[in-house]
Amino acid sequence: MHLTVSLNIASTTGQAGALTFSDLAGFAQRAEAAGLDMIVLDDAPPGRAGSGNPFEATTLLAALATVTSRIGLVATASMVAHQPYNLARRFASLDIISHGRAGWNATMAQAPSEAANFSRPDGFSSDEFRRRSEEYIGIVQGLWNGWEADALLFDKDSGRFHDPGKMHQLDHKGEFFAVRGPLNVARSPQDTPVLVLSGLAAGDLDIAARTADVILLDERQAARRKARHDEFRRRVSASGREPNAVRILADISLAANGVAGLADRMEEEFRANNCDGFNIRLSAHISALDDFTNRVLPELRRRGVIRQSYGGTTLRSHLGLSGGGDR
Amino acid sequence: MTARQMKLGAFLWATGHHIAAWRHPQAHVKAGIDIDHYVALARTAEAAKFDLLFCEDAAGLREADVSIASQTSRSIGFEPISLLSALAVQTSRIGLVSTASTSYNEPYGLARTFLSLDQLSGGRAGWNLVTSASPIEAANFGATGLRPHADRYERAREFAEVVTRLWHGKLGASGHDGQSFSVCDPLDLPRSPQGAPVMVQAGASDVGRDLAARTADVVFTAAQTFAEAKAFYDDLKGRLAAYGREPDDIKIMPGVAPVVAETEAEARAKYEELQELIPDDVGVALLSSYLSISDLRRYPLDGPLPELPESEGMKSRQALVIEQSRRDGLSIRQLARHFAGARGHWRIVGTAVQIADELQARFEGGAADGFNVMPSYFPGELDAFATLVVPELQRRGLFRREYEGRTLRDHLGLKQPV
Ligand SMILES: Cc1cc2nc3c(=O)[nH]c(=O)nc-3n(C[C@H](O)[C@H](O)[C@H](O)COP(=O)(O)O)c2cc1C
C-alpha cells in the first residue's frame, strides 16, 4: 500500500501567525521518518488574499529538498500560471536538486477566477481547458525526454561536453502552443519527474491513462472507487501501457474517519483492490500528522500492508514505478 | 558613519564565465547537475560578505548550432528560481538575485514566485528583469519569433509596473487591465520582509536605461573602459530625477571578470591556460550570437568585423563590441578570443593588489557603486577572489567586514519602499 500526505497549506488560514519554513520542514522530516512515499504540496488558487501560507509550492519544494533525503516531494503547479517550457524546466531542476524525488501535481480542474489573474479574463471553456491541458502535459513530458540518459559526456580533453546526437528537439506545434525545445536542464535523475494528476472529471480519464504516473481520486468518488479503479486500469491498458504503470491513490481524511476505524477501512479498501494506496489530506499541523504516524501507521505495519522502510532513493522507486533512479 | 563602501555580487554561471571554463582541470565539470556545488559556492560568497548571488538565465539553449553547443557546458544548468530557493534555506545573509524574463512570464505568477523566494530567505530576494533577446528562446514560446526590441521593452514596462503594484499591495479593487496584461486580485502571500524584493536590471540601450531609471534598485552593466563605465554611470544617474528619484536610489554594478593569483605572472599564466582551451569555432559562434549575426565564420577570421545592421537583440552589447573592434583594431579571431573570456565584460588579470587598485579607481572615480564579480571558473576563481581580493578591499576600508543588516535592501543601503 502506498501512502502519501497532501499538505493543505492554504487551510492553515487563521492559525496564529503565518506558517514558517521550519514548521513545514519539521512536518516533512516527520513524514520522512514515518517512511511515507511523498508529500503533495498544495498551492492555493491565486486571488484569495490573506492565506496563512507564505509560500508558493515549487519554491517551497526546492527548499524542502535540501532538508530531507528520502521522501518524495510533489508540488502543485497550474497550467494557467506557467508556460509549459518554464514549468518543465522548473520541475526538471527540482528533480536534480532533490536527487530524483520530485513530482508535479497537475490539476485538471480549473481554479475559479485563476485565468483572470493571468491575462485571460474570459477564462477557458471546459472543453478548451481539457484540450489545452492534454497538449500541455504532452509538451512537458516530451521536453523531459529530450536528453537521453547518457547524453552528457563531460569530456574535458576532447572538448565534448555532450553528445549532440543524444539531445533531441521537440518541435511541437499544436493548437495552443509551439515549443521547439530541447530543455536546457539535464535529464532527471529518475528519467522524468513523477506526473501526478488530480481533480479529474470523467472526461479526463483517457488523458490520465495516457500520461499519469499517479492519480489522486478525491473523496467525492469514494463510493465508486472500485468501479473507477477497474475502469481506469482498462483504459491504461487500452492506451498501450502496462496496466500497472499508474498508481491510483484514494483521498482519505483523518478528521472524517477518526484514528480507530482508519486502519480497518484502509486495509479493507486496499485488499478489495479499490486503489493502490491512499493520499491523506491534512492541514499543516504537526499534531495531525503525529496522530496518523503514531497510531495508524504501526497498525498498518503490523498487518503487513505497508513496507517497513524506504527501499530506494527516488520517488519512482518508492512508488514502484518503472523508469530510472537508483541506477 | 563609515565611508562609502562598494557592493559586490557573485555572478554564478555553471562551470564559470570563461567559455572554456569547463575544460579547465580545476573546474567542476558537473556543476550544472550538482546542487552541493552551488551550496558550497553560496557559502563561500556569504563567508566573504558578498552582497548577493546573481544567477543569469535563458529559457532555451544558448547556441543554435548543436555541434557548437555540445562543445560548451552552457546547454544545461539549473532553472535559477528553483536553485535560489534551495540556497535560501542553506544560507542566512547573502542576497539571492535571479534573472527572469518579462517576455515569457506573466506578472502575477512571477510576482508571487519571487515573493515566495523572499519569504523563504527572510527578505533576501531580488529579480533581474530581462526582456530576452534570443530567437532560440522565442521558439520555445510560440511560432512568431523574437519580437522587436521596442515591443519587448513596452511589455517589460507594463510587467514591472504590475509586479511592483502587487508587491506593494497597491493593486486596488479594479485590478489591472492593460495593453499586455490583466490581473484582478492582490497576491495571496504576506508582504515582503524587506518591503518588496529588490528590482535589478541589466539592459543598457536607451529604452533599457529609461526603464531602469524608472524601476530598478540595482543595475548591472558591461563596460570595458573607465570612460564607458563613467559615461553609463552618469547617464543613468542623470535619468533618475525625471522619475522623482535620487542618484543614490540606484546602485550601478558593472560586471568584472578578474583572474587573480599571488603573482602577476601566475595570473597571466592562468588566463593563458584558459585561452588555450577555446576552440576557434566556439569563440566565433559566441561572438556571433551576441552580435545578432547568424555566423561570422562566413567572413575571413583574420580580417576586420564587417558592417552589421543594428541588432534587435542586445543593442548595447553589440555597440560595445563594435566600439572595441575599432578602438583596438582587432580581427574577428582576436575579438572572438577576447570576448570568450567574459562576453564583453571588463577583465582584469593580476594580483590582489592590482585588482583592488583597478576596482578602487572605478569606484572612487564615480564609475561604479560596486561590481558583479564573474569568476572565470568555479569553484577555484571564486575562492581566489574571496581569499585574495576581498581581504585587500577590506584592508582599504572599501568593503564590509560584517553584514550590517539582514535583508538584501539592508546590504545595498536601499530605502524600504513605502
Ligand atoms: C551583467 C549582465 C547580466 C545579464 N544577464 C542576462 C541574463 O541572464 N539573461 C538575459 O536574457 N539577458 C541578460 N543580460 C542582458 C540584458 O539584460 C538585456 O536584455 C540586454 O542587454 C538587451 O537589452 P539592451 O538592448 O537594452 O541592452 C545581462 C546583461 C548584463 C550586463
Side-chain angles (χ1 to χ4, degrees):
Chain A
M1 174 189 300
H2 295 284
L3 286 179
T4 74
V5 46
S6 233
L7 201 53
N8 191 355
I9 25 196
S11 78
T12 46
T13 313
Q15 216 171 264
L19 277 175
T20 64
F21 177 71
S22 62
D23 295 335
L24 292 165
F27 190 96
Q29 286 159 348
R30 285 183 195 222
E32 179 168 86
L36 301 187
D37 288 349
M38 67 191 193
I39 301 182
V40 183
L41 305 167
D42 283 357
D43 205 38
R48 279 207 255 119
S51 139
N53 165 34
F55 309 112
E56 175 276 339
T58 63
T59 46
L60 178 59
L61 193 164
L64 289 174
T66 71
V67 297
T68 54
S69 60
R70 298 301 275 274
I71 194 162
L73 299 167
V74 175
T76 305
S78 125
M79 291 185 268
V80 173
H82 308 262
Q83 285 279 332
Y85 192 87
N86 293 338
L87 183 133
R89 290 179 76 204
R90 178 78 51 89
F91 279 94
S93 289
L94 294 173
D95 210 52
I96 297 173
I97 291 169
S98 65
H99 302 289
R101 297 183 288 132
W104 168 36
N105 176 28
T107 26
M108 299 296 289
Q110 280 193 73
S113 86
E114 182 184 30
N117 287 318
F118 291 88
S119 309
R120 292 283 196 149
D122 303 327
F124 302 92
S125 73
S126 342
D127 191 52
E128 195 183 17
F129 190 77
R130 177 169 301 133
R131 293 200 315 278
R132 186 180 179 278
S133 299
E134 176 159 29
E135 186 180 335
Y136 192 116
I137 289 168
I139 295 167
V140 169
Q141 290 186 322
L143 288 169
W144 284 342
N145 279 304
W147 292 83
E148 291 180 30
D150 55 353
L152 299 179
L153 304 171
F154 302 118
D155 188 348
K156 289 184 178 185
D157 293 335
S158 74
R160 294 191 336 141
F161 187 82
H162 69 81
D163 179 344
K166 293 185 173 172
M167 179 193 85
H168 306 290
Q169 286 197 358
L170 183 68
D171 280 327
H172 171 88
K173 286 195 183 63
E175 183 186 356
F176 298 91
F177 304 101
V179 181
R180 187 187 292 159
L183 209 60
N184 57 358
V185 179
R187 191 179 183 83
S188 152
Q190 51 177 345
D191 283 338
T192 62
V194 169
L195 175 67
V196 178
L197 290 185
S198 59
L200 302 185
D204 300 322
L205 290 187
D206 277 329
I207 301 174
R210 283 194 286 272
T211 62
D213 295 306
V214 174
I215 70 162
L216 303 181
L217 289 182
D218 66 27
E219 267 178 312
R220 281 172 296 143
Q221 298 150 348
R224 307 192 346 200
R225 266 176 199 161
K226 173 79 182 151
R228 262 280 150 103
H229 175 267
D230 293 350
E231 185 194 338
F232 189 70
R233 290 263 175 253
R234 267 197 308 280
R235 292 190 198 223
V236 172
S237 304
S239 77
R241 301 171 79 192
E242 281 286 308
N244 240 341
V246 185
R247 296 283 161 267
I248 302 174
L249 305 180
D251 267 7
I252 196 161
S253 153
L254 187 60
N257 289 280
V259 169
L262 199 58
D264 287 342
R265 164 132 183 248
M266 289 167 81
E267 182 180 5
E268 191 183 317
E269 283 213 47
F270 179 67
R271 294 208 189 276
N273 240 333
N274 285 5
C275 59
D276 301 312
F278 296 90
N279 176 42
I280 305 133
R281 301 201 61 91
L282 291 177
S283 65
H285 295 282
I286 285 182
S287 63
L289 180 66
D290 283 350
D291 279 347
F292 184 80
T293 58
N294 296 339
R295 297 164 68 189
V296 184
L297 270 190
E299 186 55 32
L300 293 172
R301 285 223 162 87
R302 204 181 52 73
R303 298 177 189 198
V305 288
I306 54 170
R307 57 153 199 267
Q308 292 299 320
S309 61
Y310 294 111
T313 59
T314 67
L315 177 52
R316 280 185 187 276
S317 73
H318 303 339
L319 292 168
L321 292 169
S322 65
D326 298 339
R327 272 191 295 242
Chain B
M1 176 88 194
T2 46
R4 174 173 167 256
Q5 291 191 323
M6 58 175 74
K7 311 299 172 194
L8 291 180
F11 188 162
L12 305 181
W13 195 342
T15 51
H17 286 271
H18 193 286
I19 188 74
W22 71 276
R23 300 184 65 193
H24 190 277
Q26 279 151 39
H28 182 43
V29 72
K30 296 189 177 176
I33 55 169
D34 184 358
I35 181 67
D36 295 338
H37 168 73
Y38 279 94
V39 172
L41 296 182
R43 292 190 172 148
T44 299
E46 186 168 74
K49 319 297 177 199
F50 273 81
D51 290 83
L52 54 93
L53 297 173
F54 177 74
C55 288
E56 49 73 43
D57 193 37
L61 298 189
R62 293 281 176 173
E63 178 52 61
D65 179 327
V66 175
S67 84
I68 302 269
S70 70
Q71 299 177 68
T72 78
S73 64
R74 296 190 173 174
S75 297
I76 56 127
F78 289 96
E79 183 277 324
I81 296 175
S82 325
L83 176 63
L84 290 180
S85 304
L87 297 183
V89 298
Q90 296 297 317
T91 55
S92 57
R93 302 298 272 271
I94 195 162
L96 306 164
V97 176
S98 175
T99 298
S101 171
T102 53
S103 295
Y104 310 122
N105 285 288
E106 282 280 319
Y108 194 94
L110 201 73
R112 188 166 182 263
T113 303
F114 272 102
L115 191 48
S116 184
L117 176 63
D118 204 48
Q119 301 288 353
L120 281 169
S121 62
R124 295 183 284 131
W127 167 36
N128 177 38
L129 175 164
V130 296
T131 58
S132 295
S134 154
I136 306 174
E137 297 175 271
N140 292 324
F141 300 90
T144 48
L146 185 65
R147 294 194 305 155
H149 191 268
D151 292 5
R152 297 201 311 275
Y153 266 106
E154 179 45 34
R155 182 178 157 107
R157 191 202 52 73
E158 187 184 337
F159 197 118
E161 180 198 319
V162 178
V163 168
T164 329
R165 282 172 63 201
L166 285 165
W167 282 342
H168 294 174
K170 289 192 175 131
L171 195 91
S174 57
H176 170 88
D177 185 10
Q179 195 62 37
S180 302
F181 307 107
S182 66
V183 173
C184 57
D185 296 306
L187 287 180
D188 55 346
L189 308 184
R191 270 297 287 276
S192 158
Q194 56 176 338
V198 169
M199 293 276 274
V200 181
Q201 221 178 288
S205 59
D206 194 51
V207 273
R209 292 179 195 204
D210 263 332
L211 182 59
R214 184 196 285 263
T215 59
D217 298 307
V218 175
V219 172
F220 292 150
T221 167
Q224 304 240 341
T225 62
F226 180 87
E228 277 170 354
K230 175 80 181 149
F232 178 84
Y233 189 94
D234 290 343
D235 177 86
L236 190 59
K237 298 258 172 171
R239 291 179 194 233
L240 292 175
Y243 300 101
R245 305 179 69 196
E246 311 272 328
D248 218 30
D249 290 349
I250 239 178
K251 306 296 170 199
I252 297 179
M253 299 169 68
V256 60
V259 179
V260 60
E262 301 277 1
T263 67
E264 186 178 337
E266 257 180 85
R268 298 231 158 264
K270 189 149 73 169
Y271 178 62
E272 279 314 315
E273 190 183 358
L274 281 161
Q275 289 295 91
E276 286 308 310
L277 296 170
I278 312 168
D280 266 342
D281 54 350
V282 171
V284 173
L286 181 74
L287 185 64
S288 306
S289 72
Y290 276 79
L291 289 173
S292 307
I293 173 169
S294 58
D295 191 358
L296 279 170
R297 277 180 298 180
R298 286 183 285 136
Y299 300 90
L301 285 191
D302 295 309
L305 203 60
E307 286 296 320
L308 297 171
E310 187 174 335
S311 170
E312 279 301 322
M314 295 190 190
K315 288 191 188 295
S316 53
R317 200 70 59 92
Q318 188 195 45
L320 178 146
V321 173
I322 294 172
E323 155 66 21
Q324 189 189 11
S325 81
R326 294 209 186 104
R327 188 175 63 229
D328 300 342
L330 300 180
S331 69
I332 291 179
R333 192 194 309 271
Q334 288 167 325
L335 205 54
R337 294 181 67 75
H338 182 82
F339 196 76
R343 305 186 304 286
H345 287 273
W346 180 34
R347 197 183 46 225
I348 328 174
V349 182
T351 63
V353 167
Q354 289 171 320
I355 287 174
D357 284 347
E358 298 262 5
L359 297 181
Q360 182 166 9
R362 287 206 186 180
F363 176 68
E364 291 179 347
D369 296 313
F371 302 95
N372 201 13
V373 178
M374 305 165 54
S376 51
Y377 62 85
F378 290 109
E381 282 289 270
L382 180 65
D383 292 340
F385 190 89
T387 55
L388 299 173
V389 182
V390 167
E392 181 59 30
L393 294 172
Q394 288 169 331
R395 251 190 305 281
R396 299 179 186 195
L398 290 168
F399 189 59
R400 72 166 67 80
R401 290 176 185 273
E402 258 318 319
Y403 289 108
E404 306 82 14
R406 282 267 156 204
T407 68
L408 178 53
R409 277 183 193 278
D410 291 341
H411 305 339
L412 294 170
L414 292 168
K415 293 180 198 137
Q416 279 254 350
V418 279

